Amino acid sequence: MPDHTDFYVKFWGVRGSTACPGSDHLRYGGNTSCLEIRCGDRLLILDAGTGIRQLGAQQPRSAEILFTHGHIDHICGMPFFAPAYQPGNRFRIWSAENRAEAALAALMSSPLFPVSPEMFGAEIEFKEFEPGATVEPGPGIVVATAPLNHPQEAIGYRICHAGRSICYVTDTEHRVGEPDDLVLELIAGADLVIYDSTYTDEEFPDHVGWGHSTWQEGVRLCEAAGAGHLVLFHHDPSRDDAALDTIGAEAHRRRPGTVVAREGMVLVPGA
């Protein structure tokens, strides 16, 4: 196991659209989007899909929670994040134009949910930023942001710490033959790029307008941007373990070092 005490990412949820528990999804996992990024003694949580429930079992007392957007697969785990109900804990939730607060209020409202966000016992602070802004959620942590091409818009993140960088670019739709300049700028020279790989290039024409991309586009973008390792993420819930094995093998042949995200995986940028 490499030393990952100062800066690393751990995957708690890797699926898109909806959770998909079942025997065919055991090795990669069936929870929706949630990442843990450790920057020294500071914890960042990216998205609050169903994977955040299991992260909460680790009982973190404070964290910076960065939402990409308010679609349900990226926030539906927040009401089940046990540390948010514990007095004395403290969490800051970041989102573009404060969409997180409105999205959680809608999710945790009657008749959809029995309790409202007012039931959170922890101190919850909502922080907003303009898409494209750079924020510093903690000492020595710089987070660049970029708007993504997604219905109701999403945000891509580049987390920089200790001279290394992790990019989180999910829920974005590319235009065939037209690399997204904002994404290229965000991931330029990054050590690790986690990219929306919901579809394949062959499937993509049937899903134009759905707001997602392909693993092949991730390869093209990383090559053009001179980025480091590519991680395929936001797997379609219909992809079973065997299908992801096949995609992972082909992606590794296309760009050696490329991996398919799976729950529990820990990666160190630059390792």
Side-chain angles (χ1 to χ4, degrees):
M1 172 70 69
D3 178 16
H4 55 256
T5 56
D6 61 337
F7 190 33
Y8 68 87
V9 57
K10 182 173 181 177
F11 294 81
W12 292 90
V14 300
R15 295 283 171 174
S17 302
T18 187
C20 52
S23 59
D24 292 334
H25 302 86
L26 293 178
R27 284 189 288 109
Y28 291 94
N31 283 298
T32 62
S33 302
C34 183
L35 308 182
E36 167 189 346
I37 295 183
R38 289 282 176 174
C39 302
D41 61 354
R42 302 296 289 262
L43 169 62
L44 275 62
I45 299 173
L46 275 66
D47 278 333
T50 59
I52 200 172
R53 185 186 67 83
Q54 291 170 294
L55 191 162
Q58 306 301 307
Q59 292 297 320
R61 297 186 56 82
S62 65
E64 310 290 332
I65 304 175
L66 282 62
F67 280 10
T68 55
H69 61 310
H71 285 168
I72 192 167
D73 54 323
H74 291 256
I75 68 169
C76 61
M78 193 67 202
F80 304 95
F81 182 56
Y85 295 89
Q86 299 299 315
N89 291 351
R90 183 174 185 272
F91 301 99
R92 287 198 298 184
I93 301 178
W94 298 75
S95 65
E97 301 168 345
N98 216 14
R99 296 177 186 174
E101 187 170 13
L104 284 176
L107 176 68
M108 298 177 69
S109 65
S110 177
L112 301 178
F113 203 74
V115 300
S116 70
E118 283 71 29
M119 294 296 291
F120 288 147
E123 178 184 346
I124 306 290
E125 179 185 5
F126 290 92
K127 297 283 287 183
E128 64 180 270
F129 57 83
E130 292 291 328
T134 297
V135 299
E136 297 186 21
I141 306 169
V142 177
V143 180
T145 71
L148 302 176
N149 182 30
H150 190 68
Q152 293 88 53
E153 195 174 89
I155 296 295
Y157 291 103
R158 179 184 179 124
I159 296 93
C160 300
H161 175 69
R164 290 168 287 161
S165 55
I166 298 171
C167 292
Y168 182 55
V169 183
T170 190
D171 290 62
T172 189
E173 181 174 322
H174 68 280
R175 295 178 176 86
V176 176
E178 299 179 29
D180 189 323
D181 289 337
L182 293 176
V183 172
L184 286 174
E185 181 179 356
L186 187 71
I187 70 172
D191 295 292
L192 192 65
V193 176
I194 301 159
Y195 187 76
D196 182 341
S197 304
T198 304
Y199 305 121
T200 65
D201 277 355
E202 295 73 24
E203 296 165 338
F204 182 74
D206 292 330
H207 297 90
V208 172
W210 291 45
H212 297 288
S213 193
T214 72
W215 70 262
Q216 291 99 329
E217 184 68 11
V219 168
R220 290 186 287 264
L221 286 166
C222 286
E223 290 292 306
H229 286 98
L230 170 63
V231 184
L232 311 185
F233 184 77
H234 203 273
H235 313 315
D236 189 290
S238 68
R239 300 251 193 265
D240 61 16
D241 289 340
L244 288 173
D245 285 344
T246 299
I247 286 175
E250 178 59 24
H252 179 72
R253 283 193 292 270
R254 284 276 301 274
R255 194 168 197 265
T258 298
V259 297
V260 178
R262 66 180 185 276
E263 289 179 27
M265 183 170 69
V266 174
L267 295 175
V268 180

